[in-house]
Amino acid sequence: MSAFRDHILRVGLILAAFAIGATTLVVLTENRTHEKIIDNERQTLLKAINAVIAKDQYNNEILADTLMLDANKQLGTNDSSIIYRARLNNEPAAVVLSAIAPNGYNGKIKLLVGIAFDGSLTGVRVISHKETPGLGDKIDTKKADWILNFKSLSLSNPDESKWKVKKDGGQFDQFTGATITPRAVVTAVKNALLYFDAHRDELFAISETEK
Amino acid sequence: MNELYGPIIRDGLWKNNPALVQLLGLCPLLAVSNTVINGLGLGLATIITLVASNGLVSLLRKQIPDEARLPVFVLIIASIVTVIELSMNAWFHELYLILGIFIPLIVTNCAITGRAEAFAARNPVGPALVDGFMMGLGFTAVLVLLGAMRELIGLGTLFSEAHLMFGEAARGFSIVVFEDYRGFLMALLPPGAFIGLGLIVALKNVIDARETTQVQTVEPVAEAATS
């Protein structure tokens, strides 16, 4: 009996040793890579931001000039999101905000929307989506240029009532075989513009944390 | 040398191919084999993990108690995958952004636990490394073939988005096989993966069956030659 117990104890200890070894390996790697990964993620974020607002339109430290926004129905966000504020020589230039189209064909479509101070779009990009390959995924710049057409549009160009896909009487192209996806994106971008229109000055105000 | 490694190589690539014969690792296999590049990406990540885990398991095989071997394998594989994921995220960030989603999938690939149990735990480090590499290569070959079939039928292209993996220079790799192709969605969705894999398995069985009958007729000559 005691031999059996010794055996179990021995196996248990070996297993524990392996667990400690494996964890140590992961912790050491995590330590060595941590800063590099954060830096990489910043670069990737900056690249995404620069896709919706051209680098020459601002000269502030955009990743540091942020505003936390609580979950917002109009933007479709369920969690707090970060708004990046671009300024040119300390004058407000544009904001980059996250918007979510909740009604994609296959779940949520996450967007990054850049809006200039005058209310026109500086660019829109899809950050993540699960739309059907070959049909709805043309909203992605990897597949098609459709989403580039949003650039420099605003609530008055086209008229607010024309912010729909053509099938619904608006001016935006749908895709062959996919209307739901572009409809969801167009609505989400329009809502983002409406949100910006109503909150522009708050969005550019310097927040408490930055003074 | 050849006597030792020959069978291992044949096993991994053909006779005991993890995807076609052992039917292991189907979850990641079916999930990401919708284009050639996706298949290649997951295949490469799997090769690295298989070689590392086979090597480590074989190295530690005398220390691993028989009763606790499975939890130990899981520990080893999970930490290897995590280390690979973190290292790629740090030093090959561009590649990580593409392959990143596949790497956690590798933990669920039972081909890796399977090789640890069936081969690495009973063999010296050298053969274990070769086995890991060959099994990984066999898995990759099926992934790429299935990816090519599904991409060709589903999208009418081959090697689309190669630049995501090989950099901007590879943009030209992409081949549009059928101009103005309307697409065949089912090939891209999960049912297409099952049907495609079924066809490949069937094809392999046909080739094997044909070879067996041929071997039977030529066997005496072959034996005379080797002896």
Side-chain angles (χ1 to χ4, degrees), chain B residues 152-171:
Chain B
L152 190 64
I153 299 170
L155 295 170
T157 61
L158 278 176
F159 301 106
S160 64
E161 289 171 31
H163 63 281
L164 293 181
M165 214 166 125
F166 301 111
E168 285 305 309
R171 228 172 240 284

Side-chain angles (χ1 to χ4, degrees), chain B residues 23-154:
Chain B
L23 294 180
L24 289 177
L26 292 189
C27 157
L29 178 88
L30 297 174
V32 298
S33 62
N34 47 6
T35 67
V36 177
I37 293 300
N38 276 357
L40 194 61
L42 179 70
L44 291 178
T46 307
I47 292 179
I48 297 171
T49 314
L50 251 173
V51 171
S53 93
N54 260 16
L56 215 54
V57 166
S58 169
L59 204 65
L60 298 168
R61 70 188 187 283
K62 299 212 170 79
Q63 274 75 49
I64 300 174
D66 206 35
E67 300 87 339
R69 65 188 193 285
L70 289 180
V72 171
F73 294 163
V74 172
L75 269 172
I76 290 177
I77 295 165
S79 41
I80 288 175
V81 172
T82 314
V83 166
I84 291 178
E85 187 183 7
L86 286 170
S87 315
M88 267 182 74
N89 195 346
W91 292 296
F92 301 98
H93 194 66
E94 295 287 310
L95 194 64
Y96 172 80
L97 291 179
I98 300 122
L99 297 187
I101 42 165
F102 304 144
I103 295 175
L105 268 178
I106 296 174
V107 182
T108 69
N109 189 337
C110 30
I112 293 165
T113 330
R115 289 330 285 171
E117 164 81 6
F119 197 94
R122 292 146 212 230
N123 289 284
V125 178
L129 289 175
V130 175
D131 178 76
F133 183 71
M134 285 304 155
M135 285 288 163
L137 209 58
F139 188 72
T140 308
V142 175
L143 264 170
V144 170
L145 181 63
L146 190 58
M149 281 168 63
R150 293 176 68 190
E151 189 180 344
L152 190 64
I153 299 170

Side-chain angles (χ1 to χ4, degrees), chain A residues 62-127:
Chain A
I62 190 164
L63 291 182
D65 195 348
T66 59
L67 187 69
M68 272 305 252
L69 191 69
D70 288 337
N72 185 288
K73 227 177 173 178
Q74 199 165 16
L75 293 173
T77 49
N78 292 331
D79 285 309
S80 53
S81 62
I82 298 172
I83 291 182
Y84 301 93
R85 300 178 293 187
R87 298 173 202 273
L88 191 62
N89 303 327
N90 289 327
E91 289 299 312
V95 291
V96 175
L97 44 84
S98 311
I100 295 177
N103 48 351
Y105 188 71
N106 211 353
K108 290 175 182 169
I109 303 169
K110 287 190 187 162
L111 302 167
L112 205 58
V113 184
I115 307 172
F117 189 67
D118 64 6
S120 67
L121 288 164
T122 57
V124 181
R125 287 294 181 283
V126 173
I127 299 298

Side-chain angles (χ1 to χ4, degrees), chain A residues 25-80:
Chain A
L25 188 68
V26 171
V27 168
L28 286 178
T29 318
E30 151 45 59
N31 262 338
R32 291 225 30 198
T33 53
H34 184 71
E35 272 173 32
K36 185 83 182 118
I37 290 174
I38 289 184
D39 188 48
N40 285 340
E41 278 165 0
R42 274 174 59 94
Q43 295 300 326
T44 309
L45 182 63
L46 202 58
K47 229 165 138 185
I49 288 175
N50 285 335
V52 294
I53 169 164
K55 250 188 231 165
D56 53 15
Q57 288 186 28
Y58 67 90
N59 56 9
N60 62 331
E61 188 65 46
I62 190 164
L63 291 182
D65 195 348
T66 59
L67 187 69
M68 272 305 252
L69 191 69
D70 288 337
N72 185 288
K73 227 177 173 178
Q74 199 165 16
L75 293 173
T77 49
N78 292 331
D79 285 309
S80 53

